[in-house]
Amino acid sequence: MKRLFIIRTPLQLFNAFEAMQRFSVDSDENELLIVYGTIRDYDMMQKMLKVCDGWSRIVYQPFMGWKKQFYAFQLKNKFKKNEYIEIYTGMIYHIPLHLMNYLNTKNNWLLDDGNETRLIVQNLNSGNYDQKDHSKPGLMIKQNPQVLKNIKIFTLYHDLKTNHEVVINDYRVFKKHIKNLIVKKNTCLMIGSNLIGTYLRSEEIYLNILASFIEHMKNKTVFYAPHRYLNELLIHKIKLLGYQILEYDTILEVDQMVKGWRFEEYYSIRSTAIDTLTNLYNVQGIYVRIPSQYFVSEQKWNECNQIWKTAHNIIDL
């Protein structure tokens, strides 16, 4: 039996690896299609494959420039119809939706990709994805959304409300490889997100928030984990605020296992690494809520507020 796992982000790869190990038997073939839009994503996923290994075959598909339009021609020679029983993916448009239609798979699964998963499920529930077929016959691209009506969800989020079948991802396989991590006392980690311009109005606002946060943590050594898209100049400015910069070349969920130690507390404005780290390592994960006037729009603040509403631990700045 063949399964195809289609991923585009490092977190999707991590969750695909868990699903592969949990649901496969020795006779299964598990193929991985890595779709990448930036070289930075490609490099990080390459490093993750040293841990997230065991695939029958790995195929790479760039999704940038002209290749965004001609992927159907390229993929036709790599994947044959009616050979795959299941597709697992962290996204449900473009290449994954095309392959769900083209390969005629029996079961399709949605993998977690942080906050994006909640937004996808909201749209699935409302029927937003069912309304229009964006297929492009001239380019051989199949985008019939009807296959999404029966998509199943493999997720760590117990609170998702949906009529789709849900299987909870408790990371039972990954946890078997985790030893008790040493806790660095009186330390905390602020997990960065790609917020400037997309959520927060300016770099100055973001730096002021970080300055306010570190002021609240006077008795702790505070580390900052840069998002992979953050530029070096901004990282330097954050360091000048008093943060120690955490160096890591994979996702935090894997990095903490590799390092063999963890922080006493973890904080973030928006990163759902808080959720996965709490699940994996039983850490103290805390969201940082900030006022709406810092955001580019009320919609973006509401999007974050939905995350904060589900948080078990939260502080206000």
Side-chain angles (χ1 to χ4, degrees):
M1 183 165 64
K2 278 188 177 183
R3 292 185 178 87
L4 178 60
F5 297 78
I6 309 170
I7 60 97
R8 191 175 175 183
T9 70
L11 182 57
Q12 289 178 22
L13 173 55
F14 183 63
N15 288 319
F17 182 58
E18 179 71 20
M20 182 264 284
Q21 293 183 103
R22 178 164 166 181
F23 298 126
S24 296
V25 296
D26 291 342
S27 59
D28 290 347
E29 293 183 47
N30 298 295
E31 298 185 358
L32 179 66
L33 171 59
I34 295 180
V35 180
Y36 61 95
T38 69
I39 297 302
R40 190 167 296 180
D41 285 344
Y42 174 87
D43 289 342
M44 181 174 282
M45 288 187 280
Q46 283 295 303
K47 290 167 183 172
M48 287 182 65
L49 287 172
K50 296 175 183 178
V51 174
C52 303
D53 58 358
W55 305 98
S56 306
R57 180 171 71 126
I58 301 176
V59 177
Y60 297 91
Q61 179 63 39
F63 193 70
M64 56 186 81
W66 64 269
K67 293 180 181 178
K68 287 184 176 182
Q69 296 295 323
F70 295 98
Y71 59 80
F73 296 103
Q74 297 173 302
L75 295 172
K76 183 180 179 181
N77 297 324
K78 298 175 182 176
F79 301 100
K80 295 182 179 179
K81 293 181 180 180
N82 302 314
E83 285 193 356
Y84 297 85
I85 190 169
E86 291 183 324
I87 284 177
Y88 292 77
T89 180
M91 48 192 175
I92 57 173
Y93 38 83
H94 300 311
I95 288 176
L97 184 56
H98 168 74
L99 287 174
M100 288 178 199
N101 282 280
Y102 178 71
L103 297 178
N104 193 30
T105 43
K106 181 179 179 181
N107 294 313
N108 299 305
W109 290 83
L110 177 65
L111 299 169
D112 274 344
D113 193 27
N115 299 313
E116 185 66 23
T117 302
R118 292 187 180 277
L119 297 176
I120 290 174
V121 172
Q122 287 176 16
N123 284 311
L124 286 171
N125 291 344
S126 65
N128 287 348
Y129 290 132
D130 301 338
Q131 296 173 3
K132 190 172 182 181
D133 186 337
H134 293 282
S135 297
K136 298 178 181 178
L139 296 173
M140 297 178 60
I141 293 174
K142 299 178 181 291
Q143 294 286 290
N144 187 342
Q146 296 304 307
V147 295
L148 300 176
K149 288 186 174 181
N150 296 316
I151 196 168
K152 303 175 183 180
I153 305 169
F154 184 53
T155 179
L156 67 83
Y157 297 117
H158 293 260
D159 61 336
L160 286 182
K161 293 180 173 58
T162 181
N163 291 326
H164 290 264
E165 180 181 339
V166 174
V167 175
I168 296 299
N169 178 11
D170 55 12
Y171 294 103
R172 64 185 64 174
V173 180
F174 186 77
K175 286 178 180 177
K176 291 178 182 178
H177 305 288
I178 298 173
K179 299 176 182 178
N180 290 329
L181 300 183
I182 299 168
V183 179
K184 287 200 171 185
K185 296 295 183 182
N186 297 315
T187 64
C188 67
L189 178 69
M190 169 58 85
I191 303 171
S193 300
N194 191 24
L195 298 174
I196 299 170
T198 53
Y199 287 85
L200 300 181
R201 289 191 286 112
S202 68
E203 178 183 300
E204 181 183 4
I205 286 173
Y206 187 53
L207 290 172
N208 287 340
I209 291 168
L210 293 180
S212 178
F213 175 78
I214 202 170
E215 182 68 19
H216 279 72
M217 301 291 160
K218 288 181 178 179
N219 298 322
K220 294 182 181 292
T221 301
V222 185
F223 286 75
Y224 181 86
H227 189 275
R228 62 186 182 278
Y229 294 154
L230 211 63
N231 64 70
E232 292 297 326
L233 179 58
L234 183 53
I235 292 173
H236 178 68
K237 291 178 181 178
I238 293 169
K239 188 174 181 179
L240 292 177
L241 293 175
Y243 288 83
Q244 293 194 31
I245 304 302
L246 180 70
E247 295 185 4
Y248 62 109
D249 57 9
T250 179
I251 60 174
L252 287 169
E253 291 86 345
V254 174
D255 179 73
Q256 298 289 256
M257 180 192 73
V258 172
K259 282 186 167 70
W261 58 268
R262 66 174 178 84
F263 297 94
E264 198 168 45
E265 296 172 341
Y266 293 75
Y267 293 84
S268 185
I269 295 171
R270 189 181 181 274
S271 174
T272 47
I274 291 286
D275 301 324
T276 47
L277 288 165
T278 298
N279 189 296
L280 290 171
Y281 302 110
N282 195 30
V283 304
Q284 177 81 338
I286 304 163
Y287 279 98
V288 179
R289 182 165 50 199
I290 54 179
S292 60
Q293 62 261 32
Y294 295 150
F295 285 75
V296 295
S297 67
E298 193 73 17
Q299 177 189 349
K300 290 296 186 180
W301 181 82
N302 283 328
E303 187 181 308
C304 289
N305 196 39
Q306 293 304 311
I307 299 167
W308 300 329
K309 282 181 179 179
T310 64
H312 295 293
N313 300 294
I314 194 163
I315 64 169
D316 288 286
L317 282 183

